[in-house]
Amino acid sequence: MFLLGYLTLPPSDPVSIYFSHISKTFTSGLFRRKHVNALDDVSLRIDEGDIFGIIGPNGAGKSTLIKLLMGFIRLDSGSITIHGKDANDPNARTQIGYLPESAYYYDHLTVLELMAFSAITSGISKNVISKRSSTLLNTMGLENAKNRKLRSYSKGMTQRAGFCFALIHAPNILILDEPMSGLDPLGRKMIVDIILDLKKQGKTILLCSHILNDVERLCDHIVIMHQGKLLETATRQDIHSKHGAHGLEEYFLQVIQGTQHEKY
Amino acid sequence: MKSIRRIVALTHITFIEGIRDRALYGITIVALMMLATNILFTNLFGHELGKIMVDLNLSTISFAGLLLTFFVNINLMSKDIDRQTIYCVLSKPFSRGEYIVGKYLGLLSLMITAIFLLTVCSGGIAWFVKNSVADYFFRTFSWTCYAQAILYIMLMFTMLNAVVIFFSSISTSAFLTVLFSVATYIVGQSIEEVAFFFKGEAVTAGYSSKFNEFLIDSFQYVVPNFSAFDIKTMASHGKLMSMNHTIALIGYTVIYSLLLLFFASHIFKRREFN
C-alpha cells in the first residue's frame, strides 16, 4: 500500500525506503547568496516489491531525491531510511543497485573488472561473481565485449554495463535513473523484460524516467514532482479510473498545467 | 574485515586505472631515456663518473616521480569527481574515509611500481657502467647507499601523495590541486634553508624578530620537510645515513601522512557531489 505524508511506521511494515519531510536547498554564487529550493518537505514511502516511478519536468527534484538517498548530497532537514537504517550509514547501501542518469565508469577497466568491484564491495564471494558475471553479460549482450575497455563502449553498451554493475550483487533495491537512456528499441525491450523479471523476484525498484510510456507500463505507483514538491500520486489504475485521463502523459500534463494555472 | 576488502578493491581498480593510463607510459619512457642518456653525460665528468652517475640516476627517478604525482595521480583523483565515476564507488557501502584510504593506497602502489621499475633500470645501468670502467671511478659507490636513497625517495612520495589526497579533498578543480601540491613541494624543499637563514644570518644582521622566528618554527612543523628526504649528495659520496635517522624519517612519514589522510577524510565527509 502506498501513502504520502508523515506516518509513524509500525516495526513490522515491509517498507524498503522511507523519505520523511526532506528538504534540500542548493546555494551558489561567491557569497552563497543564490538559493535554489530543490526539495520542499517531501515525504514518500516505497514498499517492498513495488516498482515505483517518479516523473516530473526538468528541475523537479527527481535526481536530487535520488542523490540524497544515495548519500551523495546532504539533507537540510528530514530523514531517509532504507530498511529501517539511516541512508547516511554506508551499510544501508549494501542491498542497493544504482544506475546513474549519465553513467560514467572508469575508462581503462573492463566490464568484468567493474562487475568484480561491485560484487566484492558488496560482500559477494569470487565463485559466485564468476557465475553471475557470465549470466549477466549474456543477458545484456556484452559477452563479446567483456574484455574490452569501457572507454571503447558506445552509449548503449555503457548503459548495459551499468546494469551489470547494478545487478551483479543481486540487490533487493534498485535505483534506476533514466535506465532507457541511450538504448535502441531492442535494448529498451531487454531492460523492460529485466525489470519485469526483477519485479517477479520481489525486488523493489525506484525508477526515474522521462519516457512516460515505460513508466506507465512498468510502475505500480507513480509520483509526479514539480519544483521540489510532490504534486500527485497515483497507481496505474487510478490514472484511468479516477482522473479520466487516457494515459499517463495526459494525466501528467493535466497535473503540471493545473499547477501552473493556480500559480497565475 | 569487510572494510579492508572494500579498501583493497578500490586500491586495485585505482592501480589498474593508473597503470593503463598512457600518460604513465609516456613518463616511464621519458625517464628510461633519461637514464640511458645518463651514460653519455657521466662520461663528460672524468674521475667523478661514479658520483655523477648516482646523482643523475636518483634525480631522474625523483623527476619521474614528480611528473607521475602531479599529472597522473592528481588526474586520477580529479577525474573521479569531474566525470562522476565517484558515483560508482560511493553507491557501494563505502564510507568517505574508506574512499580516501583506498584511493591513497592505489596512488601509492602506482608510485611504488613506477619507482621500482626505474630503480631496476637505473641499477642495471649503474652496474653496466661500473663494470665497463676502472674501479677507481666508482671508489665511493655503494649499493647500500643507493638503496637507502631510493627508500628515501619512496618515503618522500608517500608523503607527497598524502598531500595530493588532502588538497584533492578540498579543492574543486585539478588545476588548484596541482597548484597547491606543487607549492607545498617547493616550500617543503626550501623550508629548512629558510629556517636556517632566519635563525642565523637574519638574527645576526638584526632584521629578524622573535615573532618571525616563532612563525618560521610553526611553519616548519606544519609544512612537510621534503628536503630531509634528499640524500643524493650523501649517496653519491657513499655515505650511509644512520639507522636512527632512517627510522625517524619513516616515523615522520607515517605520522604526517596519517594526519593528512585523517583531515582529508573529515573534509571529504562534508563534500557534496551534485
Side-chain angles (χ1 to χ4, degrees):
Chain A
M1 192 168 122
F2 168 73
L3 291 166
L4 258 183
Y6 177 75
L7 291 195
T8 305
L9 297 169
S12 58
D13 233 13
V15 176
S16 280
I17 303 170
Y18 186 52
F19 299 88
S20 173
H21 296 287
I22 58 170
S23 296
K24 177 67 185 173
T25 301
F26 290 110
T27 54
S28 62
L30 189 61
F31 300 106
R32 305 242 172 233
R33 281 187 186 166
K34 289 182 191 170
H35 296 269
V36 175
N37 269 344
L39 289 172
D40 185 9
D41 194 28
V42 169
S43 291
L44 199 58
R45 169 180 152 173
I46 300 164
D47 289 333
E48 216 167 300
D50 259 359
I51 303 185
F52 198 96
I54 301 181
I55 60 175
N58 294 333
K62 307 183 296 296
S63 292
T64 303
L65 197 71
I66 288 178
K67 284 172 185 169
L68 284 167
L69 174 65
M70 298 304 299
F72 300 154
I73 54 179
R74 288 191 309 278
L75 287 166
D76 288 343
S77 62
S79 67
I80 305 174
T81 55
I82 302 168
H83 283 307
K85 279 187 189 160
D86 186 351
N88 289 321
D89 179 0
N91 291 319
R93 295 193 287 277
T94 309
Q95 280 303 315
I96 291 183
Y98 173 61
L99 180 73
E101 182 178 355
S102 308
Y104 288 109
Y105 301 101
Y106 292 102
D107 284 342
H108 297 106
L109 296 186
T110 63
V111 66
L112 279 175
E113 287 163 344
L114 189 70
M115 286 198 290
F117 172 73
S118 177
I120 289 169
T121 52
S122 299
I124 307 296
S125 69
K126 285 189 178 173
N127 297 336
V128 174
I129 292 170
S130 172
K131 281 184 204 167
R132 280 195 200 163
S133 298
S134 188
T135 311
L136 265 174
L137 287 171
N138 275 319
T139 308
M140 293 293 167
L142 292 176
E143 180 64 33
N144 292 336
K146 65 182 178 185
N147 292 316
R148 277 169 49 187
K149 289 183 190 170
L150 290 166
R151 67 187 289 175
S152 69
Y153 278 20
S154 66
K155 175 100 169 70
M157 289 171 76
T158 305
Q159 192 72 355
R160 284 182 276 150
F163 263 100
C164 293
F165 177 81
L167 293 173
I168 183 70
H169 56 296
N172 288 329
I173 301 171
L174 277 154
I175 314 293
L176 307 175
D177 198 350
E178 300 293 347
M180 312 300 181
S181 170
L183 295 177
D184 58 30
L186 281 173
R188 283 172 53 185
K189 186 185 179 308
M190 176 174 55
I191 298 305
V192 166
D193 290 342
I194 288 170
I195 291 174
L196 290 171
D197 188 50
L198 289 167
K199 177 164 171 63
K200 282 183 199 162
Q201 294 173 35
K203 309 290 187 187
T204 308
I205 301 172
L206 177 59
L207 174 66
C208 280
S209 181
H210 285 301
I211 306 174
L212 299 184
N213 285 339
D214 292 332
V215 173
E216 189 173 3
R217 191 165 31 149
L218 293 169
C219 296
D220 303 314
H221 299 102
I222 299 157
V223 149
I224 298 177
M225 290 185 68
H226 186 47
Q227 294 179 341
K229 293 183 193 297
L230 284 183
L231 295 184
E232 289 285 335
T233 65
T235 63
R236 232 187 345 241
Q237 293 75 29
D238 286 348
I239 290 167
H240 302 291
S241 59
K242 286 188 185 171
H243 302 282
H246 292 107
L248 179 59
E249 188 170 338
E250 190 180 319
Y251 175 60
F252 174 76
L253 290 169
Q254 274 175 15
V255 168
I256 298 296
Q257 284 164 0
T259 311
Q260 284 167 347
H261 286 140
E262 274 174 30
K263 204 174 164 186
Y264 295 115
Chain B
M1 190 63 203
K2 282 183 187 173
S3 179
I4 293 172
R5 216 171 162 213
R6 287 194 289 268
I7 290 170
V8 168
L10 181 57
T11 301
H12 180 63
I13 64 166
T14 305
F15 177 78
I16 291 178
E17 188 71 5
I19 210 87
R20 292 175 184 172
D21 192 333
R22 286 179 193 168
L24 176 63
Y25 296 150
I27 290 168
T28 311
I29 289 166
V30 164
L32 290 173
M33 282 167 58
M34 285 173 72
L35 285 172
T37 52
N38 285 348
I39 299 172
L40 298 170
F41 277 118
T42 49
N43 282 315
L44 299 172
F45 292 92
H47 65 278
E48 300 292 342
L49 199 147
K51 290 176 194 166
I52 301 298
M53 164 73 51
V54 169
D55 212 339
L56 281 178
N57 279 359
L58 294 174
S59 297
T60 302
I61 293 170
S62 294
F63 179 65
L66 288 174
L67 289 179
L68 184 62
T69 303
F70 295 135
F71 294 105
V72 177
N73 287 2
I74 289 179
N75 191 40
L76 283 173
M77 285 300 294
S78 63
K79 217 168 53 168
D80 241 14
I81 294 165
D82 291 344
R83 299 199 57 212
Q84 298 182 339
T85 46
I86 195 171
Y87 285 173
C88 77
V89 178
L90 296 183
S91 65
K92 309 309 294 182
F94 272 93
S95 67
R96 299 289 178 98
E98 285 170 357
Y99 173 82
I100 289 290
V101 172
K103 290 301 274 191
Y104 173 71
L105 291 176
L107 300 187
L108 198 60
S109 51
L110 196 61
M111 178 63 65
I112 290 171
T113 305
I115 289 179
F116 177 75
L117 174 69
L118 292 173
T119 301
V120 167
C121 293
S122 71
I125 287 167
W127 179 86
F128 171 74
V129 173
K130 188 169 176 290
N131 287 306
S132 307
V133 300
D135 288 344
Y136 170 78
F137 295 106
F138 276 77
R139 62 191 180 283
T140 59
F141 181 81
S142 159
W143 285 112
T144 311
C145 294
Y146 195 75
Q148 189 183 52
I150 297 287
L151 171 67
Y152 277 39
I153 288 172
M154 279 202 195
L155 289 175
M156 188 199 79
F157 283 116
T158 301
M159 203 188 275
L160 187 58
N161 277 283
V163 168
V164 162
I165 292 282
F166 175 75
F167 286 124
S168 295
S169 72
I170 59 174
S171 75
T172 53
S173 80
F175 172 72
L176 286 176
T177 307
V178 169
L179 196 64
F180 292 143
S181 302
V182 168
T184 304
Y185 175 74
I186 292 169
V187 170
Q189 283 288 358
S190 37
I191 190 68
E192 211 171 79
E193 272 188 53
V194 169
F196 183 75
F197 170 76
F198 262 93
K199 289 176 184 175
E201 289 182 38
V203 169
T204 311
Y207 52 80
S208 178
S209 66
K210 288 278 180 203
F211 177 72
N212 283 346
E213 283 182 44
F214 168 75
L215 213 60
I216 287 294
D217 274 340
S218 308
F219 219 53
Q220 261 194 306
Y221 282 108
V222 170
V223 171
N225 183 6
F226 289 124
S227 60
F229 298 90
D230 186 0
I231 58 165
K232 285 196 282 295
T233 310
M234 298 285 283
S236 64
H237 284 83
K239 303 256 187 266
L240 198 64
M241 302 302 286
S242 69
M243 185 56 78
N244 287 342
H245 186 271
T246 305
I247 291 170
L249 213 58
I250 291 171
Y252 174 57
T253 305
V254 168
I255 291 168
Y256 197 93
S257 302
L258 283 175
L259 274 173
L260 281 176
L261 292 179
F262 174 76
F263 290 128
S265 299
H266 274 273
I267 293 165
F268 206 65
K269 266 184 207 169
R270 303 292 302 161
R271 266 187 90 160
E272 296 191 315
F273 302 101
N274 194 22

